[in-house]
Amino acid sequence: MMSRKAFYATLLLLACLTTQAKDFDFSALSPSGHTLYYSIIDRASHEVEVVCPSVKYGSDSQRPWDGYIRPFGRVVVPGVVSHEGVDYTVVSIGWNAFYGCYEMRSLTLPSSLRDFKTTAFEYCRNLEEIVVDAGNPVFDSRGGCNAIIKTADNELVYGCRGTTIPRTVTSIAWYAFRGSGLQSITIPPSVTYISDQAFYDCQLTEVTIPATVKDMGAGAFDDKVTLKLEGTALQLEKGRYYFDDAYDDEGYAYGVCMVPCGRKREYEQSAWGRYFTFREDCEDYTVMVDDTEGCIVWVSSGLARFGERVGIACNKEGYTFVIMSGSSPTNIEVKDNSFLMPYYDVIVKAVKQ
């Protein structure tokens, strides 16, 4: 006989399970042998959208792909999928549909697609090939560019680590390369606009922006990238700028480019001034020391401003340094026993080699 304690535990588990709601209508095998998930968006027209099989816990919590196998390798999205004797046309790729599919390397899309949600392919770090069916009237991947381009207005909607931007592309969309494995890119002179967060959190280290670009979002790149502007020697150097929000008199947020103290006017009066509103970060940040190794760590400044170079040294041989934020290493680079001060407090830690 089940004990009272076990009985109530079972009731609690069942109650939890009933609060979970799957946010897809059905699943089916794709031509490449992967299980993809679909939501019916128009029953009368038999149209579906590819979705991420997140499970909703309670009212707010979502865990993309929790408990499901993410598509990997070569993935083919079908144009038509059958469910309970009905054929549905695949017309859209939904929010987070392939979010974090790290092992997906190739993606083939059908001629029936006419819509992509913004975060559909975010953090597909190893995706190298994208092919849109040549019969698609809305999107194309012209010239083997490994990207999704909106044909009517030549806007690059999505790219990947293998993308080459065609010289016919005139704009790069919001989130186009966000979270991708892109390591290098040439932006052709045909491009006149780069949207906010277009290249955010890629693997880029340096990008040259052509003079033809008339406007770009303040978060089009992040501060891990050195930005060079064609025709000027003044750079936005890695670790010496970051983007932040400011608010107008009506409370609306807009992007500003934060630069080290004393450099605002220099950027405002340069060619960069047409792209961003510049502000200075003149705050003092704390450099703390975690010396559990007994290294007796020396730092050149206990307080430092954003973008300043801070020297660090140890009175023992055989030690190197890492920068800690709380208990997790950050992406701050320690080079020649020094680092660029970020826009928050840091902890210097000596580590034996």
Side-chain angles (χ1 to χ4, degrees):
M1 179 181 293
M2 182 181 293
S3 69
R4 183 185 296 269
K5 187 174 182 180
F7 173 74
Y8 284 113
T10 302
L11 285 181
L12 179 62
L13 176 61
L14 290 173
C16 290
L17 289 173
T18 58
T19 65
Q20 298 178 14
K22 296 179 180 179
D23 55 356
F24 59 89
D25 292 314
F26 66 91
S27 63
L29 283 179
S30 72
S32 53
H34 301 89
T35 300
L36 300 182
Y37 300 84
Y38 302 90
S39 178
I40 299 172
I41 57 177
D42 191 325
R43 291 187 180 276
S45 300
H46 298 163
E47 294 178 343
V48 295
E49 177 178 75
V50 182
V51 296
C52 172
S54 305
V55 175
K56 297 180 180 179
Y57 292 80
S59 59
D60 297 318
S61 179
Q62 272 189 309
R63 301 177 186 176
W65 292 99
D66 185 25
Y68 297 89
I69 297 175
R70 300 170 193 257
F72 58 91
R74 178 176 177 270
V75 178
V76 177
V77 176
V80 177
V81 63
S82 297
H83 175 63
E84 295 182 345
V86 178
D87 287 341
Y88 291 91
T89 303
V90 181
V91 299
S92 176
I93 306 290
W95 301 101
N96 296 333
F98 291 93
Y99 179 91
C101 291
Y102 311 109
E103 298 305 319
M104 184 168 66
R105 299 185 180 276
S106 173
L107 180 66
T108 300
L109 300 169
S111 61
S112 57
L113 284 175
R114 61 171 186 258
D115 184 43
F116 295 91
K117 298 301 189 298
T118 301
T119 58
F121 306 106
E122 195 174 4
Y123 293 102
C124 295
R125 295 286 198 196
N126 292 302
L127 181 60
E128 296 179 345
E129 180 184 54
I130 301 176
V131 178
V132 179
D133 188 281
N136 191 303
V138 181
F139 303 101
D140 67 79
S141 53
R142 64 192 66 168
C145 64
N146 293 318
I148 302 169
I149 297 169
K150 196 171 182 179
T151 306
D153 54 14
N154 295 310
E155 179 183 48
L156 193 151
V157 180
Y158 282 109
C160 64
R161 69 180 297 167
T163 294
T164 300
I165 302 177
R167 297 179 70 86
T168 51
V169 165
T170 57
S171 63
I172 300 173
W174 192 43
Y175 273 53
F177 290 93
R178 180 182 165 108
S180 72
L182 188 69
Q183 296 177 336
S184 65
I185 196 70
T186 298
I187 301 174
S190 56
V191 174
T192 60
Y193 176 67
I194 302 174
S195 185
D196 191 58
Q197 300 206 39
F199 292 94
Y200 190 84
D201 204 15
C202 295
Q203 306 299 302
L204 293 171
T205 57
E206 185 178 294
V207 176
T208 297
I209 300 167
T212 53
V213 174
K214 294 180 173 60
D215 192 18
M216 59 179 150
F221 300 87
D222 57 38
D223 60 355
K224 294 182 292 185
V225 186
T226 292
L227 296 180
K228 297 181 177 182
L229 180 60
E230 186 180 47
T232 179
L234 184 63
Q235 301 177 163
L236 283 170
E237 299 175 60
K238 174 184 175 181
R240 285 193 167 97
Y241 76 96
Y242 65 94
F243 294 112
D244 202 0
D245 285 338
Y247 298 87
D248 62 21
D249 294 338
E250 296 181 354
Y252 291 101
Y254 62 95
V256 296
C257 184
M258 304 296 295
V259 293
C261 201
R263 300 201 67 186
K264 173 185 173 182
R265 187 175 180 83
E266 180 184 9
Y267 280 102
E268 283 182 334
Q269 295 182 340
S270 74
W272 288 100
R274 75 185 188 196
Y275 298 116
F276 307 127
T277 298
F278 287 98
R279 291 192 178 179
E280 295 176 349
D281 185 341
C282 294
E283 185 174 344
D284 289 327
Y285 297 95
T286 303
V287 182
M288 296 166 283
V289 174
D290 177 1
D291 193 16
T292 53
E293 293 290 323
C295 184
I296 309 180
V297 178
W298 173 86
V299 297
S300 62
S301 177
L303 292 174
R305 288 180 173 177
F306 165 63
E308 290 182 350
R309 187 158 287 280
V310 179
I312 47 181
C314 174
N315 70 341
K316 295 181 180 179
E317 293 184 1
Y319 282 83
T320 186
F321 297 96
V322 295
I323 305 296
M324 310 291 288
S325 176
S327 59
S328 301
T330 73
N331 60 6
I332 304 169
E333 181 182 13
V334 179
K335 187 176 182 181
D336 298 326
N337 289 333
S338 65
F339 64 93
L340 293 178
M341 190 69 191
Y343 49 94
Y344 50 82
D345 298 342
V346 299
I347 302 173
V348 177
K349 182 178 177 64
V351 177
K352 195 169 185 178
Q353 293 178 333

